[in-house]
């Protein structure tokens, strides 16, 4: 089973509107972290926002917020007031903390392509 | 400015040839990673390293090799055993494996 599922291959939004990118995850680990990254056409991955499994409040970073619903195992990214420069691929990723090796790595979803139109 | 440098940006491999992708970081991070990205796919972990002279296989390590002789450097060799090497390769680093990753700008590897 996939650990990270992003069901929207592509999303369209008009400039200045808000958009929600979906992410669901699967883990039995009580301690984990959820990340969102942006990948513009240049290829570099840019960190946007982080949510820890024990965080009581939803994370926010400027125009980005994370709608964390732990019982539903969802961590949707909300971008408010979309800008043309927001057009990019967006990846959700999960870190599971209780590994036998003592190390922890990120597992990525397949991504959602967001296109912002004028 | 601190960051991660990957080189070259584009690389071509002939059949049966080994090629090495470079990754250097000056962020003083302990952990480094190599990911592979195919079109329409997410990132898949090839190898990662928590400390110098130690590294672990990721989900798709077959046909690849790495070394970590210096903290700043984590080169990836794509061997001739990797039958489908065409992909975009991303190197990353983090303070520890529990922290967010910082990425380089990637290397596009193609087979001639």
């Amino acid at each position: 089973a996939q650990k990270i599922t992003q069901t929207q291959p592509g999303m369209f939004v008009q400039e200045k509107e808000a958009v929600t990118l979906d992410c669901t995850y699967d883990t039995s680990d009580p301690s984990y972290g959820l990340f969102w990254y942006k990948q513009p056409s240049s290829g570099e991955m840019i960190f946007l926002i982080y949510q820890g499994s024990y965080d009581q409040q939803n994370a926010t970073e400027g125009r980005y917020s994370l709608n964390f619903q732990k019982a539903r195992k969802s961590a949707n990214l909300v971008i408010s007031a979309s800008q043309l420069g927001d057009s990019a691929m967006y990846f959700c990723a999960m870190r599971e903390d209780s590994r036998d090796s003592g190390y922890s790595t990120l597992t990525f979803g397949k991504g959602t392509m967001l296109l912002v139109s004028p | 400015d601190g960051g991660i440098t990957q080189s070259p940006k584009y690389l071509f491999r002939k059949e049966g040839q080994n090629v090495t992708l470079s990754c250097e970081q000056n962020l003083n991070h302990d952990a480094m990673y190599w990911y592979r990205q195919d079109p329409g796919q997410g990132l898949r972990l090839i190898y990662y390293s928590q400390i110098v002279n130690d590294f672990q296989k990721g989900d798709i390590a077959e046909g690849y090799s790495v070394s970590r002789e210096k903290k700043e450097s984590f080169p990836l060799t794509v061997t001739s055993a990797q039958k489908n090497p065409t992909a975009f390769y991303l190197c990353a680093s983090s303070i520890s494996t529990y922290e967010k990753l910082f990425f380089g700008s990637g290397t596009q590897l193609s087979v001639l």
Side-chain angles (χ1 to χ4, degrees):
Chain A
Q2 286 189 26
K3 290 196 172 184
I4 295 286
T5 303
Q6 295 182 253
T7 57
Q8 306 153 314
M11 289 284 286
F12 292 90
V13 67
Q14 276 203 310
E15 201 176 3
K16 299 180 185 177
E17 290 186 350
V19 63
T20 298
L21 306 183
D22 295 340
C23 173
T24 57
Y25 58 92
D26 182 24
T27 182
S28 57
D29 193 332
S31 177
Y32 53 90
L34 297 157
F35 300 77
W36 276 92
Y37 281 85
K38 171 184 178 181
Q39 186 180 42
S41 56
S42 60
E44 185 172 351
M45 298 282 283
I46 302 166
F47 167 77
L48 295 177
I49 198 166
Y50 168 78
Q51 180 85 42
S53 60
Y54 294 118
D55 292 344
Q56 295 297 313
Q57 293 188 325
N58 287 346
T60 60
E61 291 282 351
R63 293 186 299 112
Y64 304 108
S65 61
L66 204 151
N67 184 1
F68 182 46
Q69 298 188 44
K70 197 169 181 177
R72 295 185 176 185
K73 293 188 176 179
S74 74
N76 299 339
L77 176 70
V78 180
I79 305 175
S80 64
S82 298
Q83 301 172 356
L84 296 178
D86 292 335
S87 293
M89 279 290 287
Y90 288 80
F91 290 95
C92 180
M94 176 175 65
R95 182 201 72 226
E96 295 172 286
D97 295 338
S98 300
R99 297 276 294 264
D100 293 339
S101 65
Y103 300 143
S104 183
T105 59
L106 292 191
T107 301
F108 285 81
K110 294 188 176 183
T112 295
M113 172 64 79
L114 176 66
L115 291 178
V116 182
S117 61
Chain B
D1 287 339
I4 300 174
T5 302
Q6 288 189 242
S7 61
K9 191 168 181 64
Y10 300 97
L11 187 58
F12 298 91
R13 193 191 90 165
K14 294 181 181 178
E15 207 164 320
Q17 188 181 45
N18 292 353
V19 292
T20 297
L21 283 60
S22 170
C23 178
E24 303 276 334
Q25 55 101 356
N26 60 4
L27 299 168
N28 200 33
H29 286 171
D30 285 318
M32 296 188 75
Y33 313 78
W34 275 104
Y35 283 91
R36 169 178 171 143
Q37 185 178 21
D38 294 283
Q41 301 289 323
L43 278 65
R44 292 184 291 168
L45 183 64
I46 305 172
Y47 269 99
Y48 63 105
S49 168
Q50 171 67 9
I51 56 173
V52 174
N53 292 323
D54 186 41
F55 47 82
Q56 287 75 40
K57 292 182 179 180
D59 300 318
I60 56 165
E62 186 175 348
Y64 300 96
S65 66
V66 293
S67 63
R68 186 90 187 273
E69 297 177 0
K70 298 186 300 182
K71 187 176 185 178
E72 308 80 39
S73 178
F74 192 41
L76 173 75
T77 297
V78 184
T79 74
S80 57
Q82 174 49 246
K83 296 307 178 187
N84 186 21
T86 297
F88 188 60
Y89 292 85
L90 282 159
C91 178
S93 72
S94 60
I95 295 172
S96 75
T97 58
Y98 293 91
E99 301 292 329
K100 68 183 180 186
L101 271 59
F102 293 80
F103 284 85
S105 56
T107 293
Q108 175 65 50
L109 174 63
S110 301
V111 177
L112 290 177

